[in-house]
């Protein structure tokens, strides 16, 4: 335990803008002893007003996989960044330009994520069903593009090539937009129910996703439920939020071991 704390302290010093406590291994492919591709979540790897630090990001990813999950990443891998930010976020252009200039090291997918201004628990049942069907619950409409983006993430994860791939999804804080996306990923692909999904989202960041992201997670849970997926405990009661503010979990059931095995 002391060694792990020491390693994490060194990572904090080394990573500058990166918060190692918010970097976590979420999934891998294939599952078992010899995965070749990996999916991580985290926060913005660029300090405000600073430059993108590829070495720091790579080192934090490698160390967190080993410390939290006992997983040794390949010595050589490419990084595919899923960026949930927008041009107003600090470091957005620095990271974008870095990957354009270093295609040998990796690439970036620009997935602006905005969540929802509408809490489905405050919407009447008939209107709620119509919004689930149309995806109009999202600020960007189209269910915040989650169906396409989640499917593409699985495609990236399962795509095998000569060089292993590390997929790193992040927003600025690594909590809200990142929490929305990886919460939806857990509901869709990892077999999480709503309380487990939200428990993991709060635990992985150190706080719960905000109103916009949590509302989007409720809508996505309802979307999966409408498609026939069983959601024990329902989709509307796993969190309480202040309007456009902070949220708290209700009956959270985070996993004892969230590492992909």
């Amino acid at each position: 335990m002391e060694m792990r704390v020491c390693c994490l302290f060194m990572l904090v010093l080394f990573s500058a803008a990166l918060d190692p406590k918010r970097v976590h291994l979420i999934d891998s492919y294939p599952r078992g002893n010899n995965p070749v591709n990996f999916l991580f979540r985290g926060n913005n790897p660029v300090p405000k007003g600073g430059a993108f630090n590829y070495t720091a990001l790579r080192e934090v990813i490698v160390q967190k996989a080993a410390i939290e999950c006992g997983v040794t990443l390949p010595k050589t891998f490419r990084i595919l960044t899923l960026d949930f930010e927008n041009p107003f976020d600090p470091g957005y252009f620095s990271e974008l330009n870095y990957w354009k200039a270093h295609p040998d090291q990796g690439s970036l997918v620009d997935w602006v994520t905005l969540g929802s201004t509408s809490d489905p628990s405050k919407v009447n049942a008939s209107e709620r069903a119509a919004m689930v069907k149309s995806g109009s619950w999202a600020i960007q409409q189209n269910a915040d593009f989650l169906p396409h983006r989640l499917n593409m993430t699985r495609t990236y994860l399962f795509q095998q090539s000569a060089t292993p791939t590390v997929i790193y999804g992040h927003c600025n804080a690594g909590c809200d937009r990142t929490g929305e996306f990886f919460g939806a990923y857990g509901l869709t692909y990892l077999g999480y129910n709503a309380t487990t999904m939200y428990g993991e989202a709060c635990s992985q960041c150190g706080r719960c996703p905000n109103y916009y992201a949590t509302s989007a997670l409720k809508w996505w849970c309802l979307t999966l439920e409408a498609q026939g997926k069983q959601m024990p405990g329902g989709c509307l009661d796993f969190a309480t939020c202040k309007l456009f503010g902070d949220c708290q979990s209700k009956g959270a059931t985070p996993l004892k071991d969230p590492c992909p095995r």
Side-chain angles (χ1 to χ4, degrees), residues 32-54:
N33 295 326
N34 297 297
V36 294
N37 295 332
F38 305 85
L39 175 63
F40 285 80
R41 63 171 288 169
N43 74 312
N44 186 350
V46 183
K48 189 174 183 179
F52 176 78
N53 190 330
Y54 168 81

Side-chain angles (χ1 to χ4, degrees), residues 228-250:
K229 189 177 181 68
Q230 296 296 313
M231 289 295 173
C235 296
L236 300 178
D237 298 321
F238 59 79
T240 58
C241 300
K242 295 180 181 178
L243 184 63
F244 309 135
D246 296 334
C247 300
Q248 300 293 327
S249 62
K250 289 176 59 180

Side-chain angles (χ1 to χ4, degrees), residues 110 113 119 131 229:
D110 191 5
T113 299
D119 181 345
M131 292 172 71
K229 189 177 181 68

Side-chain angles (χ1 to χ4, degrees), residues 40-214:
F40 285 80
R41 63 171 288 169
N43 74 312
N44 186 350
V46 183
K48 189 174 183 179
F52 176 78
N53 190 330
Y54 168 81
T55 302
L57 175 60
R58 193 182 191 286
E59 185 65 18
V60 169
I61 286 171
V62 169
Q63 292 296 328
K64 285 305 295 285
I67 292 169
E68 288 189 344
C69 298
V71 172
T72 301
L73 264 59
K75 291 183 179 180
T76 302
F77 57 80
R78 298 182 76 259
I79 296 177
L80 171 62
T81 296
L82 310 179
D83 192 347
F84 309 128
E85 299 178 301
N86 61 67
F88 296 100
D89 282 300
Y92 174 85
F93 290 106
S94 175
E95 184 178 13
L96 184 66
N97 291 333
Y98 181 90
W99 290 122
K100 286 181 179 179
H102 299 86
D104 56 311
Q105 296 177 349
S107 58
L108 181 145
V109 178
D110 191 5
W111 283 349
V112 173
T113 299
L114 299 178
S116 176
T117 58
S118 174
D119 181 345
S121 65
K122 310 298 183 185
V123 179
N124 69 63
S126 60
E127 184 179 357
R128 188 164 63 223
M131 292 172 71
V132 165
K133 185 176 181 179
S134 67
S136 61
W137 50 264
I139 294 172
Q140 302 185 99
Q141 305 289 303
N142 300 298
D144 222 8
F145 301 101
L146 284 172
H148 169 72
R149 292 172 178 179
L150 290 168
N151 181 64
M152 285 304 303
T153 300
R154 292 292 270 190
T155 299
Y156 296 143
L157 184 63
F158 289 176
Q159 196 169 52
Q160 298 194 53
S161 61
T163 303
T165 299
V166 167
I167 305 166
Y168 181 72
H170 77 87
C171 58
N172 187 26
C175 295
D176 303 313
R177 292 163 287 184
T178 302
E180 173 189 336
F181 184 82
F182 284 98
Y185 186 92
L187 288 174
T188 307
Y189 298 119
L190 301 181
Y192 294 173
N193 62 25
T195 57
T196 297
M197 172 276 294
Y198 205 67
E200 284 299 294
C202 300
S203 173
Q204 288 166 347
C205 170
R207 66 167 173 82
C208 295
N210 65 16
Y211 173 90
Y212 303 95
T214 298

